[in-house]
Amino acid sequence: MSHRILFSVAAAVLATAAGCVSEPEIIDTRDTTTNRVRSMEKVSSTDFIEAAEYGINSILSDEIFSEYLAEYKAAGHGNSRPLLMISAVQNRTTAHVDMPLLTSRISSALLKSRKVRVTSVLAADSAQRDTASKELRNLEDDEDFDQQSVLQRGTLKSPDLTLSGAIIEQRNTSGRTTELTYFFDMRLTNSRTGEVVWEDHIEIGRRQKRPLLGL
Amino acid sequence: MKILTVLTMATLLLTVGCQNTVNTVENSEKQAQVTTIQDTRVITDRFLRDRLKIIRVNVAENSDGFLQVQVEALNDRVGYLGQFWSWLTDANPYRVNYKFSWFDDAGMAVATDLSIWKQVIVKPGETINFRSVAPTAKCRDFTLSLQEAE
């Protein structure tokens, strides 16, 4: 009898616990306000979204970059736009960071704005590099391919601009309070001259206070 | 009667202690050539409208033809009673969520990483500028959505 009672109680506890598990909830990934989780350990998705939005706004409204574009056109390029390569963004944080979360947003916005063209032949991050363009040119000795359809060498374009930067973590602790900031440094460099044609940064921070007792 | 007077005095003293608003100073003869536009507002939150007053909407075009927008707003909840009310309702600091949406020349909404909800803290008496740039040169229309943060 006591086994039956014990079994019933265990079953009831299990059923209650199962009922406590919440269903996965759809979140608005474009909402960077307080209803998104921000970690004190690593750069969060919302940080990348905010930093990219800031960077895009800054590039599109920057007069120095507009001057560069005007000079590019005046230098015999007609209506053509400069070719952008996504270069390295250094990770100066304590956690692994996937840089395309930042750079991909910026490059796609610039491409859609029609201010630049983007190359995928060269990119610092393998996630943004498409090796096919180079591999397709290695088919010239492959008898299985119609040689007239094989791409010629010397047609790939060298980039005019590179997108680079760094994410730097700063952590300060005073008493029970920890302040964490991520400094997103971004720049566009004229690869022909090495001149920086746009540069900006945003600092995204948060603070957490440890409770007096407990973990 | 005496008790009422003491209570009133205590309340006044409390509210005086709560007063913490922004004073500003600026050049009176403005040099900037501002293009202010007419705007249309859809108000669903009257508290937000009364607390964060939209002063003006400026537009400018950069040399590439990209439209830039600046919406100037003022946190108008100042004064003893306003500050006391903010203190009572735990509404200090005042957090506002906002998002810009952009529309192309055919009136179609443009999906862009510029259209995200962001949060800003506005101090009492502070003027804040919500700014955005069009994602393409074809975008001529915009909407700024504002919401009090929970």
Side-chain angles (χ1 to χ4, degrees), chain A residues 131-154:
Chain A
T131 54
S133 301
K134 283 192 80 110
E135 284 166 11
L136 289 171
R137 283 160 175 79
N138 294 332
L139 301 175
E140 53 200 4
D141 297 326
D142 195 328
E143 291 174 357
D144 292 335
F145 286 87
D146 171 4
Q147 287 302 306
Q148 282 192 328
S149 71
V150 172
L151 294 172
Q152 287 184 341
R153 289 187 183 272

Side-chain angles (χ1 to χ4, degrees), chain A residues 30 32-33 53 57 60 115, chain B residues 62 64 97 112 117-118 133:
Chain A
R30 288 174 183 268
T32 67
T33 56
E53 188 265 352
N57 245 318
L60 295 183
K115 286 211 175 200
Chain B
N62 72 4
D64 289 349
N97 298 334
T112 165
W117 278 103
K118 290 174 71 178
V133 61

Side-chain angles (χ1 to χ4, degrees), chain B residues 6 15-16 19 24-25 27 32-33 36 40 42 49 51 54 56 59-60 67 76-77 88 100 109 117 119 143-144 150:
Chain B
V6 170
T15 50
V16 167
Q19 177 84 341
T24 58
V25 60
N27 59 322
Q33 294 181 341
T36 306
T40 306
V42 179
R49 178 199 60 187
R51 188 167 179 185
I54 304 293
R56 60 182 173 183
V59 294
L67 196 69
D76 198 32
R77 189 179 282 179
L88 268 182
F100 275 95
W117 278 103
Q119 192 171 96
T143 303
L144 170 65
E150 289 169 10

Side-chain angles (χ1 to χ4, degrees), chain B residues 11-138:
Chain B
T11 309
L12 272 173
L13 278 171
L14 259 176
T15 50
V16 167
C18 294
Q19 177 84 341
N20 185 18
T21 59
V22 173
N23 289 351
T24 58
V25 60
E26 59 191 24
N27 59 322
S28 52
E29 288 175 21
K30 301 287 183 220
Q31 302 296 311
Q33 294 181 341
V34 179
T35 309
T36 306
I37 57 163
Q38 297 283 323
D39 60 80
T40 306
R41 299 174 195 185
V42 179
I43 306 295
T44 58
D45 183 346
R46 288 170 197 275
F47 291 102
L48 172 63
R49 178 199 60 187
D50 295 342
R51 188 167 179 185
L52 191 71
K53 292 219 162 110
I54 304 293
I55 298 169
R56 60 182 173 183
V57 183
N58 297 347
V59 294
E61 209 174 84
N62 72 4
S63 51
D64 289 349
F66 281 63
L67 196 69
Q68 293 179 70
V69 178
Q70 178 173 283
V71 179
E72 197 178 325
L74 169 75
N75 181 354
D76 198 32
R77 189 179 282 179
V78 291
Y80 302 126
L81 284 174
Q83 287 300 287
F84 184 59
W85 180 246
S86 294
W87 175 74
L88 268 182
T89 54
D90 198 23
N92 260 340
Y94 189 40
R95 293 173 193 272
V96 175
N97 298 334
Y98 72 98
K99 182 180 82 166
F100 275 95
S101 303
W102 285 95
F103 302 88
D104 66 16
D105 48 3
M108 305 299 282
V110 176
T112 165
D113 283 317
L114 292 171
S115 293
I116 59 167
W117 278 103
K118 290 174 71 178
Q119 192 171 96
V120 70
I121 296 172
V122 198
K123 293 178 179 173
E126 186 185 13
T127 301
I128 190 154
N129 292 301
F130 299 100
R131 288 191 63 187
S132 185
V133 61
T136 74
K138 283 186 174 180

